[in-house]
Amino acid sequence: MHNSSRFGKILFLSLIFILLTIAMTMTENTKKTPEHHLENGTFVNTNGTANNKKLKELWKWMTGKKETKAIPIEFEMVDPDLKLINQDKSFSITWIGHASFLYQNKELNILTDPHLTNRASPINFAGPQRYTKPAMKFEELPKIDFITISHNHYDHLDLKTVKWIAKNNPDSMFLVPLGLKKWFLDKSINNVIELDWWESHIINDTKITFTPVQHWSSRTLFDRNQTLWGGWHIKNNHHSLIHLGDTGYSDDFKETFKKLGPVDLALIPIGAYAPRWFMQFSHMNPNEAVQAFIDLKAEKAIGMHWGTFILTDEPVDEPPLKLEEELEDRSLDTKSFITMIHGQTINLNKD
Ligand code: ZN
Ligand code: ZN
């Protein structure tokens, strides 16, 4: 009797010990693996969702009756201010088109999602063709220090463009989302740093942080969400900027403000939103873009991701018009959230 009760006690204590060990290992594991990293190696958004649009839905959109139709139109273009761009310690922003900007923050020349070729497609004879040519030629680019890539979709990551930049700026550094470094190494582009959400890279006085947005990734039929997506927050003593890449509306903007504070300038996508039933998850319309601007508590914003490629159904000149309407409806200053002319350079010293 005595022995069996002792045996029972040891058994009970061992069981508790095993359970505690399992619990501790589990806590350790969840601590080590962020929630947006799934066990199968893919990523999800901060709210746990993944873009699960099926081929069937893509087919329905592509073959369905369209409420509106996007027809290319010729937008005004201006020459970039090369004099200002080539000044020492230049402080300016130039819209090259779509999500591509040249941003100069007095110490670094940064290119965002650079796309300076003719198509946003894996093949060079089909796929979305640009109807507004890139507002800067390769030869017009100044020496580039950093290139930020928001995600691997073809309108944001263009092989020919990144190859040219790497070849002609051997010291430049590519900052890319987690999982995307391998793609660059495979193309013999070796100066690459990949970051997870909220991780930062510091160079001189500039701190560059990768922030979460609601989107997805893929370059082939078989690699959905295997690399991360996000926005880039760039800050030094003079200025702060965020480039949101491609994103649907989510709480990420409020969280970004909470963690990183207000920004001087936000580059916010305002195009590629129709039809809503298909696009809402991954792209904001101007109404949501204005809400993102408010959530970020940005001083100023520039609407991007429009006027360059036809990716969706809204008329190509609609995003800036709707943006202005939206700002007026909310009694906000229309000069606080603007769109630029292709090629326009804004002198941030004067802004
Ligand atoms: Zn995208
Ligand atoms: Zn895009």
Side-chain angles (χ1 to χ4, degrees), residues 154-172:
Y154 286 90
D155 54 322
H156 298 259
L157 174 56
D158 181 57
L159 176 59
K160 271 192 201 157
T161 305
V162 294
K163 269 189 163 174
W164 189 94
I165 295 165
K167 192 170 163 225
N168 290 276
N169 299 267
D171 297 329
S172 66

Side-chain angles (χ1 to χ4, degrees), residues 98 155-156 246 305:
H98 205 55
D155 54 322
H156 298 259
D246 243 354
H305 205 263

Side-chain angles (χ1 to χ4, degrees), residues 88-292:
D88 198 27
K89 298 194 168 147
S90 188
F91 187 29
S92 73
I93 188 151
T94 304
W95 190 35
I96 301 172
H98 205 55
S100 309
F101 289 85
L102 167 66
Y103 170 53
Q104 303 178 283
N105 72 352
K106 290 196 184 186
E107 55 171 352
L108 299 171
N109 291 341
I110 298 166
L111 277 177
T112 66
D113 286 353
H115 195 303
L116 278 80
T117 68
N118 202 30
R119 266 186 216 280
S121 166
I123 40 178
N124 60 14
F125 55 88
Q129 189 172 15
R130 68 193 303 151
Y131 59 91
T132 309
K133 65 175 199 269
M136 282 188 93
K137 296 187 187 81
F138 282 113
E139 314 79 69
E140 288 175 330
L141 293 172
K143 177 185 145 301
I144 299 300
D145 300 300
F146 273 94
I147 304 95
T148 58
I149 302 291
S150 63
H151 63 303
N152 70 0
H153 285 155
Y154 286 90
D155 54 322
H156 298 259
L157 174 56
D158 181 57
L159 176 59
K160 271 192 201 157
T161 305
V162 294
K163 269 189 163 174
W164 189 94
I165 295 165
K167 192 170 163 225
N168 290 276
N169 299 267
D171 297 329
S172 66
M173 181 63 77
F174 286 82
L175 290 174
V176 308
L178 193 62
L180 196 53
K181 183 173 177 173
K182 189 183 173 297
W183 182 90
F184 281 84
L185 297 181
D186 287 347
K187 273 54 184 184
S188 303
I189 299 174
N190 298 315
N191 287 353
V192 191
I193 294 172
E194 61 176 17
L195 297 182
D196 199 350
W197 288 334
W198 306 118
E199 285 182 342
S200 303
H201 180 74
I202 297 172
I203 173 87
N204 305 332
D205 281 336
T206 302
K207 185 176 184 182
I208 309 184
T209 306
F210 194 45
T211 63
V213 301
Q214 177 172 298
H215 201 61
W216 58 294
S217 73
S218 85
R219 265 185 103 78
T220 68
L221 288 174
F222 314 103
D223 66 347
R224 191 180 280 206
N225 298 338
Q226 287 177 7
T227 65
L228 198 55
W229 51 90
W232 290 99
H233 182 275
I234 305 168
K235 185 176 179 164
N236 69 2
N237 293 332
H238 309 289
H239 198 246
S240 58
L241 170 140
I242 191 163
H243 182 285
L244 291 184
D246 243 354
T247 179
Y249 181 76
S250 77
D251 286 338
D252 292 329
F253 312 125
K254 290 187 190 118
E255 193 59 26
T256 300
F257 166 73
K258 254 196 239 163
K259 282 206 155 84
L260 303 175
V263 280
D264 297 316
L265 181 59
L267 309 177
I268 302 177
I270 59 166
Y273 49 79
R276 295 309 286 152
W277 69 266
F278 193 70
M279 295 299 166
Q280 190 164 22
F281 180 88
S282 10
H283 295 144
M284 295 192 285
N285 63 12
N287 170 309
E288 293 165 323
V290 170
Q291 192 54 49

